[in-house]
Amino acid sequence: MSRDHTEGTATALDTADDADAPFLELLARGADAEAYERPVALARAEGRPAERIAVLERAKALALRVRAELAGRRRREAELSALFETAHDLAGLRDADAVLQAIVQRARSLLGTDVAYLSLNDPARGDTCMRVTAGSVAARFQQLRLGMGEGLGGLVAQTARPYVTDDYLRDNRFRHTATIDAGVRDEGLVAILGVPLTLGADVMGVLFAADRRARVFEREQIALLGSFAALAAAALTTADLLAETRSALAGLERANAIIRDRSAAVERASDVHDRLAGLVLRGGGVHDVAAAVSQVLDGTVEFTETAPARAVEASRTGGHAVRHADDWIAAVTGGDLPGALVLRGHPALDPVDQRTLERAATVTSLLLLARRSAAEAEQRVRGELLDDLLDARDHDPRLLRDRARRLSADLDATHVVLAARPDATPSDADQEAGARRRLWSAASHLAATRRGLAAARDGGTVLLLPLEPGDTATELARRTARHLGTTVHETVTVGASAPVRDLAAHPDAVAAAYEESRRCLDALRRLGRSGDGAAAEDLGFLGLLLAGDRDVTGFVDRTIGRVVAYDERRGTDLLRTLDAYFACGMSPARTKDALHVHVNTVSQRLDRVGHLLGPDWHSPNRALEIQLALRLRRMTASAGC
């Protein structure tokens, strides 16, 4: 090798060493990335040769790679340390909320985000709600609930997959809602990362990290947040196991208490047997039975027809009292509707006391059966009278009045005929028969208390109820629908006839009114108003078609009567303007040409119409009714001439 070549190689090595020196100092100081540009910039400023600058560039690139590697190692060390500390917290778990709070705070710190938060699924409500937040300042955001599939978090909870966005409000991949977007705006969040908390195949909740500026989350950061989510899921699972253990211990304590109280329960059973036998012999009622059992069991026992349906059915099927929350429920048969004796606030009931409650339910069933038999006899008499009116079998007014008077009904008063039908679709013939029977029983009870009549007819129930002064057929139908629906625990639709009078002298009017109420009922169900009550007058022009007497004058008056009255009082031309307005395709410009007035005059008249008829008078449905009323008024006026 020549001496010149050897000297050139040595010079190149010296040059490389000189180039590395400033970058090694920067690495030692932990300088930021911008500082690594200065040696290269200085060399260019001093006019160094291109070879020297190229060496510096290579040294800079190598130094930046070393710097990135060192930073990554430091970051991984911090992440592993945080995960280890969290696992240590989990091992000594005392308070699940405290562990979750630590997880959220460490995730926020290591990912360097403005906010971190954790939400948990709520199976009862079918959504997910906030549990823990760190860095949040907006109260509305901290109280958010996300439906499954709504927003980024709802989508993570639904799909069990992580999702990330660098600008949430502009990201159309997610189903935005006004509530969620308002909460995100209040918090000022832009970039959001969410990962699922999973237990096996089930998603328990979502862990989030979010910034108030646009940001791209790296793959390593997503994996880190996923590790924190796994620890959070473990914390929740451990807390659930601890809760189950505590519950089991509490159950053992209750079992010991039951054993200690067993002898006293046997004595109470003997006492209640004697009391119930005495009640039956004295002709006591349902509430007397409940009061007697309350004293013996040292608790509150009451008879109710609104006990939880599933618990009542379980008791009825099994033949025993069943526990529901802190109460015990024993089904009672023989009544009009499913009922039960409910012992309040006794979660740990001795088996002997349980049988005492069951015997009391049996006695109550016998008492209700006797009462039901008497009530059904009266209901049959009421139903027979209404059937005779509907079929026009008896035309003797005196005899009809006498029969009604014995039932406390007055056929000379103004009445409304109402057709009622349950809305639920039965699964079989037995269920359908049961629903009809319950509706007829409830309607019969209502008729008896209102001095009216009721009968089962055409798969539903028909009622004849008196109309009080100041009341309307529509309001009566709505009240009846609400009352029957509440009583039978399902929606009931009720159609009403127009008021009918002097039924004893004109019994055939009841049949016509019944047909009108049935048409109104069918119309309500076809219009999607199941569970509501209405009369023909409540249905606009549709009511005009349904009504038996075709009350054209009443329809016109209800629809445009205020405009007619205004024209008559003021001598204005609002009706003529309305006619022209609709004839001109609802165009004010063409209307003013047809009327030969200024367009401002047309606008002023239409504003006055809106004041008289309401702001929605030009909506499609109202406009159709108004046009029909205008045309009917012209036709009746022509017929009068």
Side-chain angles (χ1 to χ4, degrees):
M1 181 179 296
S2 68
R3 179 179 177 183
D4 292 341
H5 179 75
T6 302
E7 291 177 351
T9 303
T11 301
L13 291 173
D14 292 341
T15 301
D17 290 341
D18 292 343
D20 292 342
F23 296 109
L24 291 174
E25 292 178 4
L26 292 173
L27 286 171
R29 293 204 314 265
D32 57 26
E34 294 179 355
Y36 289 79
E37 297 291 342
R38 292 172 188 155
V40 179
L42 181 62
R44 288 196 177 96
E46 292 175 350
R48 296 296 182 91
E51 294 81 0
R52 172 67 176 176
I53 292 174
V55 171
L56 286 172
E57 288 284 2
R58 288 193 296 273
K60 180 192 74 171
L62 180 61
L64 287 173
R65 286 200 300 273
V66 172
R67 178 181 180 275
E69 181 65 25
L70 290 174
R73 290 186 179 184
R74 286 194 295 271
R75 185 177 66 252
R76 285 192 290 275
E77 288 176 1
E79 293 170 355
L80 289 173
S81 176
L83 290 172
F84 177 78
E85 291 174 0
T86 303
H88 183 268
D89 292 342
L90 182 56
L93 177 67
R94 292 295 180 272
D95 184 354
D97 286 335
V99 175
L100 294 178
Q101 185 69 51
I103 289 173
V104 170
Q105 290 175 343
R106 287 169 185 157
R108 178 193 177 205
S109 175
L110 288 177
L111 269 68
T113 58
D114 297 320
V115 182
Y117 49 101
L118 184 146
S119 67
L120 294 181
N121 290 2
D122 185 346
R125 297 182 54 168
D127 61 6
T128 180
C129 63
M130 289 290 186
R131 176 72 176 268
V132 180
T133 64
S136 172
V137 296
R140 176 158 54 177
F141 178 78
Q142 296 166 11
Q143 298 170 1
L144 276 180
R145 300 190 73 94
L146 289 71
M148 291 300 178
E150 294 178 355
L152 185 147
L155 190 58
V156 173
Q158 184 182 53
T159 62
R161 295 173 52 192
Y163 278 87
V164 63
T165 176
D166 56 1
D167 191 344
Y168 173 76
L169 292 175
R170 296 178 181 274
D171 198 330
N172 294 325
R173 292 178 300 161
F174 310 111
R175 180 149 59 94
H176 292 265
T177 68
T179 302
I180 298 174
D181 287 0
V184 171
R185 289 192 185 95
D186 285 356
E187 195 62 58
L189 299 183
V190 178
I192 303 176
L193 164 62
V195 296
L197 278 67
T198 56
L199 178 63
D202 298 327
V203 178
M204 306 170 65
V206 181
L207 179 61
F208 300 86
D211 255 340
R212 296 190 175 96
R213 64 186 186 282
R215 168 179 177 167
V216 176
F217 288 95
E218 299 175 358
R219 188 180 301 275
E220 294 80 3
Q221 294 172 322
I222 298 175
L224 174 62
L225 194 63
S227 299
F228 277 115
L231 289 174
L236 292 170
T237 304
T238 303
D240 289 342
L241 291 175
L242 287 175
E244 291 177 4
T245 302
R246 294 190 186 102
S247 177
L249 290 175
L252 290 176
E253 293 176 358
R254 289 195 297 270
N256 288 331
I258 291 173
I259 293 173
R260 289 193 301 269
D261 295 340
R262 188 169 186 83
S263 60
V266 172
E267 293 179 4
R268 291 196 299 272
S270 176
D271 183 23
V272 78
H273 175 77
D274 294 340
R275 292 192 183 202
L276 292 178
L279 279 174
V280 173
L281 293 175
R282 293 195 306 270
V286 171
H287 297 291
D288 296 324
V289 173
V293 179
S294 296
Q295 293 177 3
V296 173
L297 298 183
D298 191 23
T300 301
V301 177
E302 60 183 27
F303 172 75
T304 177
E305 293 179 339
T306 59
R310 294 181 63 181
V312 173
E313 184 60 28
S315 174
R316 191 189 312 279
T317 303
H320 299 288
V322 297
R323 181 180 168 184
H324 179 76
D326 288 341
D327 303 334
W328 281 85
I329 296 175
V332 171
T333 59
D336 297 334
L337 298 171
L341 282 184
V342 180
L343 173 61
R344 303 289 186 188
H346 271 257
L349 189 64
D350 185 274
V352 177
D353 289 342
Q354 180 180 338
R355 286 193 292 275
T356 297
L357 183 65
E358 292 164 0
R359 281 196 293 271
T362 301
V363 172
T364 304
S365 298
L366 294 173
L367 294 175
L368 286 177
L369 185 60
R371 188 177 70 179
R372 177 181 176 182
S373 298
E376 286 181 349
E378 180 181 347
Q379 290 169 1
R380 281 195 296 271
V381 173
R382 290 181 180 275
E384 289 169 359
L385 175 56
L386 183 53
D387 281 334
D388 288 346
L389 289 171
L390 289 169
D391 297 333
R393 293 174 183 158
D394 195 338
H395 292 282
D396 185 344
R398 183 185 58 80
L399 183 57
L400 289 173
R401 287 191 183 94
D402 288 343
R403 292 174 63 187
R405 191 176 300 111
R406 287 195 293 271
L407 297 171
S408 300
D410 181 9
L411 296 183
D412 293 325
T414 301
H415 285 73
V416 173
V417 178
L418 303 111
R421 192 176 303 161
D423 297 316
T425 302
S427 58
D428 53 45
D430 290 341
Q431 186 178 10
E432 181 178 6
R436 291 180 180 179
R437 184 173 59 253
R438 289 192 298 272
L439 179 61
W440 171 74
S441 180
S444 297
H445 183 267
L446 175 62
T449 58
R450 289 290 314 277
R451 302 179 66 183
L453 305 173
R457 201 172 185 89
D458 299 324
T461 299
V462 56
L463 299 94
L464 180 69
L465 298 180
L467 187 66
E468 300 297 333
D471 201 0
T472 65
T474 295
E475 289 303 318
L476 179 58
R478 288 175 178 166
R479 289 197 305 273
T480 302
R482 288 194 298 268
H483 177 87
L484 295 178
T486 302
T487 304
V488 302
H489 307 295
E490 62 177 287
T491 57
V492 175
T493 305
V494 176
S497 71
V500 290
R501 300 169 180 83
D502 198 11
L503 301 182
H506 304 93
D508 53 339
V510 179
Y514 172 57
E515 291 303 321
E516 181 180 330
S517 66
R518 284 187 61 194
R519 290 195 296 270
C520 185
L521 169 63
D522 292 339
L524 284 173
R525 301 182 75 173
R526 289 190 177 95
L527 292 172
R529 291 176 57 181
S530 295
D532 196 2
E537 65 182 15
D538 188 45
L539 301 179
F541 76 91
L542 181 59
L544 181 66
L545 300 176
L546 296 173
D549 57 359
R550 302 291 193 272
D551 184 13
V552 174
T553 302
F555 171 74
V556 172
D557 185 62
R558 289 192 299 271
T559 307
I560 60 173
R562 298 188 66 183
V563 177
V564 174
Y566 189 89
D567 274 355
E568 291 175 350
R569 287 197 314 269
R570 304 292 184 91
T572 53
D573 280 333
L574 297 185
L575 280 177
R576 193 163 68 91
T577 303
L578 266 179
D579 259 331
Y581 179 64
F582 286 121
C584 294
M586 302 175 71
S587 167
R590 291 199 293 272
T591 303
K592 62 99 176 175
D593 293 335
L595 296 176
H596 305 293
V597 297
H598 195 273
V599 69
N600 289 342
T601 301
V602 174
S603 297
Q604 291 170 2
R605 292 178 180 177
L606 295 178
D607 288 342
R608 174 55 60 182
V609 169
H611 178 73
L612 294 170
L613 300 183
D616 65 336
W617 70 273
H618 53 280
S619 66
N621 288 340
R622 288 290 308 279
L624 176 60
E625 291 185 0
I626 292 169
Q627 292 178 72
L628 180 59
L630 289 169
R631 182 164 298 184
L632 289 172
R633 186 175 184 275
R634 287 198 303 270
M635 292 171 61
T636 54
S638 299
C641 293

